[in-house]
Amino acid sequence: MQIGTSRLATVFLTLFGLLAGLVLLPALGLAQATDPLHSWIDGAAKQAIVQFVQATTDKSSPNFVPPEARIATFDQDGTLWVEHPMYSQLVYVLDRVPALVKAKPELADVEPFKTVLSGDREAIAKLPKSDLEKLLVATLTGMTVDVFSAEAEKWIVTATDPRWKRPYTELTYQPMQEVLSYLRANGFKTYIVTGGGQDFVRVFSTRVYGIPPEQVVGSAGDTTYSYDKDGKPILTKAPKLLVNDNNAGKPEGIHLMIGRRPYAAFGNSIGNRQMLEYTKAGEGERLAMLVLHDDDKREYAYGPAQGLPDTKVGTFTQELYDEAKKLGWTVISMKNDWKRIFAFEP
Amino acid sequence: MQIGTSRLATVFLTLFGLLAGLVLLPALGLAQATDPLHSWIDGAAKQAIVQFVQATTDKSSPNFVPPEARIATFDQDGTLWVEHPMYSQLVYVLDRVPALVKAKPELADVEPFKTVLSGDREAIAKLPKSDLEKLLVATLTGMTVDVFSAEAEKWIVTATDPRWKRPYTELTYQPMQEVLSYLRANGFKTYIVTGGGQDFVRVFSTRVYGIPPEQVVGSAGDTTYSYDKDGKPILTKAPKLLVNDNNAGKPEGIHLMIGRRPYAAFGNSIGNRQMLEYTKAGEGERLAMLVLHDDDKREYAYGPAQGLPDTKVGTFTQELYDEAKKLGWTVISMKNDWKRIFAFEP
């Protein structure tokens, strides 16, 4: 359709010359450049987003939502960026271990640090939950919040994903970036609501998603206020989980940190079920969407919904798929709904 | 000075007639109407605020702060509204008891409900901490977040303060309302950081302070996600404290909910000490202010700093006063810095 419009414009320009061009050219340029969801194939998923925005922002709509109440929440791993084969934050945790052992050489012969240092990915993947917790505590707590941010920042700008050889922050989904921008352009406040670490995601959320730290809700540990040797106040990350922002913890975290029910929520796995239920249970027009990873060529394919390979990272069960269909949530097919997945694609 | 300017204007208007009037009159009207801190007496406190805003918002200033980092936090009780003789939320808790006993008549003979029902304020004031906790749990938890909000909303619009015979929400300090507006007009995001209940303050924060629910940080309990008998998702307020937003809990709560250090912080009591220390310890220009209640005619007088009467509600110790002077915080004298205290004053 855009090609047709463009041809028509050429005819008009030829017929009416410069004056017409001055009027029409910028208008057409604008129309092409401003399909806010230009990486989406025209279909039910794209339509659901556009229709939701129209219904909630048109003042004459019965479902009009005042701007201050327009809240939209997005899971991060698997919804805004790649989560396979391993959550990026877990890569960070493993990458931190050598520096940790350098500072405390006695850890080199202690599990789970020994296994992580060996680099044996298969053995690492088999570490029991209790060992994983030891790694999280050792790499994500015990330092001031400022030191943690500086370390994470240093990692995030240099570390690269082994498949695409690009920084993890370039592995965000272009179509979802467009949804974030489109919602914000329509007065929505966009939040990340992630099972990942709140402090970790805050380090790059502004630069990568245009979402400021205070709009990142995530799994969060306690901090402890004290003074350093010069009497300067410091906040130290404590090994005590305050918010486990997964499953039921997502609506609970949303209430704690935002205080109102979202109008739109986006996820991709069973950990987002309750957030979507809670969102959709509100009055008026609500949007609930799930990204289905069904594109093993351009990204990954996993479910086990719809016969896709089973997975432990970002599990999307058939039960969740059926609930989505039953409750009027929209399932986004990466394969069929997205023209391109990453901004760096040609 | 404004009278002088105004007289001069009259002379000019007489001399130059209509044309001059068209130019000068709106300009003068604007100048008078737009002293954003018009309820403040010209003095060190007002000056500190204006100077801070200039230093942080003037692009040529060495202490310029980009708009997205402009965070200002305000304690509520005693800083934004009256807290004597009793915190408004405590009045709410006591006022809820009759309805509670009506629903569960067996409580009528059980302490502390029996004493509260007796209306004997002296006996109520003497209730031990464990009884107070029982009252908080009984009145602030056990219901859905929606039911709680509806109950609190109903109370806040009808309950009146016994001294001023006005709703508590009219007992906000006009000079502080002006600071909130002035900071917002200069790109600051204003937050309430209160020891009071986060859910309680969120009910009226938008209407009363222009601060949306997501910018209220307060003492917060856990919630529990479940489904009602119709299968609808609900969040129930649980009797488990997640954030005790007092003392060291204030900077900790700020980190949890906002994720960055404020540039300006306002309080009035020892419970705000750490928030102000933390704010002031940041780099560049930071503003830390404490309201001193030294006006027993227009409001209340309590310290015990500066020989003011000792109090258990909103204690401002001499030690805090000395720390303020030492660390370059500004103490606001309600008596000497504020032209008027409430918007309803003539």
Side-chain angles (χ1 to χ4, degrees):
Chain A
M1 209 179 92
Q2 283 178 341
I3 292 172
T5 316
S6 175
R7 272 195 198 140
L8 205 64
T10 312
V11 175
F12 268 106
L13 284 176
T14 315
L15 284 176
F16 298 108
L18 189 65
L19 187 65
L22 281 173
V23 176
L24 283 173
L25 200 60
L28 284 166
L30 206 68
Q32 280 189 0
T34 58
D35 174 5
L37 303 175
H38 51 85
S39 298
W40 290 73
I41 287 162
D42 287 322
K46 179 176 180 176
Q47 220 168 5
I49 302 166
V50 173
Q51 195 183 313
F52 164 77
V53 168
Q54 283 169 351
T56 51
T57 60
D58 176 351
K59 276 197 173 162
S60 67
S61 157
N63 290 318
F64 175 76
V65 176
E68 65 275 14
R70 293 181 198 160
I71 304 280
T73 56
F74 292 79
D75 170 54
Q76 188 191 219
D77 294 309
T79 300
L80 293 180
W81 75 351
V82 174
E83 64 184 344
H84 266 231
M86 200 189 273
Y87 298 121
S88 304
Q89 190 177 0
L90 191 52
V91 182
Y92 173 74
V93 164
L94 299 177
D95 282 359
R96 285 293 305 155
V97 168
L100 210 69
V101 173
K102 202 179 163 189
K104 289 185 190 172
E106 67 274 19
L107 291 179
D109 292 319
V110 179
E111 289 298 357
F113 307 99
K114 196 178 164 185
T115 296
V116 174
L117 283 178
S118 76
D120 179 346
R121 293 262 150 175
E122 235 170 279
I124 294 170
K126 278 183 196 149
L127 286 172
K129 207 182 156 198
S130 57
D131 273 350
L132 198 64
E133 275 167 15
K134 272 183 209 161
L135 288 170
L136 297 178
V137 167
T139 55
L140 306 177
T141 72
M143 70 290 284
T144 67
V145 296
D146 294 337
V147 166
F148 172 79
S149 295
E151 281 171 358
E153 170 73 25
K154 215 188 317 175
W155 181 84
I156 201 80
V157 297
T158 52
T160 53
D161 173 86
R163 174 168 166 191
W164 283 280
K165 326 270 185 231
R166 288 173 179 274
Y168 294 97
T169 50
E170 288 187 26
L171 300 183
T172 65
Y173 306 132
Q174 173 60 24
M176 295 305 289
Q177 291 276 16
E178 292 167 12
V179 175
L180 285 171
S181 300
Y182 177 51
L183 287 174
R184 285 198 292 262
N186 282 283
F188 281 84
K189 218 166 174 174
T190 53
Y191 282 81
I192 289 173
V193 176
T194 174
Q198 185 167 278
D199 282 347
F200 182 75
V201 179
R202 278 173 169 174
V203 164
F204 55 86
S205 61
T206 303
R207 179 169 56 84
V208 175
Y209 302 113
I211 293 178
E214 62 269 24
Q215 285 165 228
V216 175
V217 179
S219 293
D222 209 352
T223 55
T224 310
Y225 181 86
S226 66
Y227 306 89
D228 69 11
K229 57 178 172 26
D230 304 319
K232 203 185 157 184
I234 47 171
L235 281 174
T236 304
K237 287 172 72 66
K240 184 190 158 196
L241 193 64
L242 273 187
V243 179
N244 181 356
D245 203 47
N246 283 298
N247 307 307
K250 288 213 176 194
E252 292 162 6
I254 287 170
H255 180 73
L256 177 69
M257 308 277 293
I258 311 177
R260 33 189 168 183
R261 193 193 302 258
Y263 275 85
F266 300 77
N268 76 298
S269 63
I270 43 169
N272 297 294
R273 201 187 111 206
Q274 290 86 344
M275 175 169 78
L276 269 63
E277 286 174 349
Y278 180 63
T279 299
K280 199 73 181 173
E283 285 174 12
E285 188 91 4
R286 310 270 168 164
L287 181 66
M289 299 191 96
L290 283 170
V291 176
L292 182 67
H293 293 255
D294 55 359
D295 192 331
D296 61 352
K297 296 259 174 353
R298 297 188 297 171
E299 203 236 13
Y300 295 101
Y302 51 96
Q306 303 299 90
L308 293 163
D310 204 348
T311 179
K312 272 176 189 160
V313 176
T315 307
F316 191 141
T317 58
Q318 188 61 40
E319 194 195 351
L320 179 66
Y321 190 92
D322 295 340
E323 184 178 6
K325 293 289 163 189
K326 191 179 138 200
L327 298 178
W329 307 351
T330 304
V331 175
I332 300 163
S333 159
M334 290 182 82
K335 193 173 177 179
N336 302 318
D337 286 315
W338 289 356
K339 282 185 199 165
R340 58 174 187 168
I341 292 185
F342 302 114
F344 57 77
E345 284 171 22
Chain B
M1 208 179 92
Q2 283 179 340
I3 292 172
T5 315
S6 173
R7 271 194 198 142
L8 205 63
T10 313
V11 175
F12 268 105
L13 283 176
T14 314
L15 284 175
F16 298 107
L18 188 64
L19 188 63
L22 281 173
V23 176
L24 283 173
L25 200 60
L28 284 166
L30 207 67
Q32 282 190 358
T34 59
D35 173 4
L37 302 175
H38 51 85
S39 298
W40 289 73
I41 287 162
D42 286 322
K46 179 176 179 176
Q47 222 168 3
I49 302 166
V50 172
Q51 196 183 312
F52 164 78
V53 168
Q54 282 169 351
T56 52
T57 61
D58 178 351
K59 276 197 174 162
S60 66
S61 158
N63 290 318
F64 175 75
V65 177
E68 65 275 15
R70 294 181 197 160
I71 304 279
T73 56
F74 293 79
D75 169 55
Q76 188 190 220
D77 295 309
T79 300
L80 294 179
W81 76 350
V82 174
E83 65 184 346
H84 265 233
M86 200 189 274
Y87 298 122
S88 304
Q89 190 177 0
L90 191 52
V91 182
Y92 173 72
V93 164
L94 299 177
D95 282 0
R96 285 294 306 156
V97 169
L100 210 69
V101 173
K102 203 179 164 191
K104 289 185 191 172
E106 66 274 21
L107 292 178
D109 292 319
V110 179
E111 287 299 354
F113 307 99
K114 195 178 164 184
T115 296
V116 175
L117 283 177
S118 77
D120 180 346
R121 292 264 150 175
E122 235 170 280
I124 294 169
K126 279 184 197 147
L127 287 172
K129 208 184 156 199
S130 57
D131 272 350
L132 199 62
E133 276 169 12
K134 273 183 208 160
L135 287 171
L136 296 178
V137 166
T139 56
L140 304 177
T141 73
M143 70 289 284
T144 68
V145 297
D146 295 336
V147 166
F148 172 79
S149 295
E151 280 171 358
E153 170 73 25
K154 214 187 317 177
W155 181 83
I156 200 80
V157 298
T158 52
T160 53
D161 172 88
R163 175 169 165 190
W164 283 280
K165 326 269 185 233
R166 288 173 180 275
Y168 293 97
T169 50
E170 288 188 27
L171 301 184
T172 65
Y173 306 133
Q174 174 59 22
M176 294 306 289
Q177 291 275 16
E178 292 167 12
V179 175
L180 285 171
S181 300
Y182 178 52
L183 287 174
R184 285 197 292 261
N186 283 282
F188 281 84
K189 217 165 173 176
T190 54
Y191 282 81
I192 290 173
V193 177
T194 174
Q198 184 167 279
D199 282 348
F200 182 75
V201 179
R202 279 173 168 173
V203 165
F204 55 86
S205 61
T206 304
R207 179 169 56 84
V208 174
Y209 302 113
I211 293 177
E214 60 270 25
Q215 285 165 228
V216 175
V217 179
S219 292
D222 209 351
T223 54
T224 310
Y225 181 86
S226 65
Y227 306 89
D228 68 11
K229 57 177 173 25
D230 304 319
K232 203 185 158 185
I234 47 172
L235 281 174
T236 305
K237 287 171 74 65
K240 183 189 158 197
L241 194 64
L242 272 188
V243 179
N244 181 356
D245 204 47
N246 284 298
N247 308 307
K250 288 212 175 194
E252 292 161 6
I254 287 170
H255 180 74
L256 177 69
M257 308 277 293
I258 310 177
R260 32 189 170 184
R261 195 193 298 261
Y263 276 84
F266 300 78
N268 75 298
S269 62
I270 42 168
N272 296 295
R273 202 187 110 207
Q274 289 89 340
M275 174 168 79
L276 268 63
E277 287 174 349
Y278 180 64
T279 299
K280 198 76 181 172
E283 285 174 13
E285 188 91 5
R286 309 271 168 164
L287 181 66
M289 300 191 95
L290 284 170
V291 176
L292 182 66
H293 293 256
D294 57 358
D295 193 331
D296 61 350
K297 297 260 172 357
R298 296 189 297 172
E299 203 236 13
Y300 294 100
Y302 52 96
Q306 302 299 89
L308 292 163
D310 203 347
T311 178
K312 273 176 190 160
V313 176
T315 308
F316 191 141
T317 59
Q318 188 61 40
E319 194 195 351
L320 180 66
Y321 190 92
D322 295 340
E323 185 178 6
K325 293 289 163 189
K326 190 179 139 201
L327 297 178
W329 307 351
T330 305
V331 175
I332 300 163
S333 160
M334 290 182 80
K335 194 173 174 178
N336 302 318
D337 286 316
W338 289 357
K339 281 185 200 166
R340 58 175 187 168
I341 292 183
F342 303 113
F344 57 76
E345 285 171 21

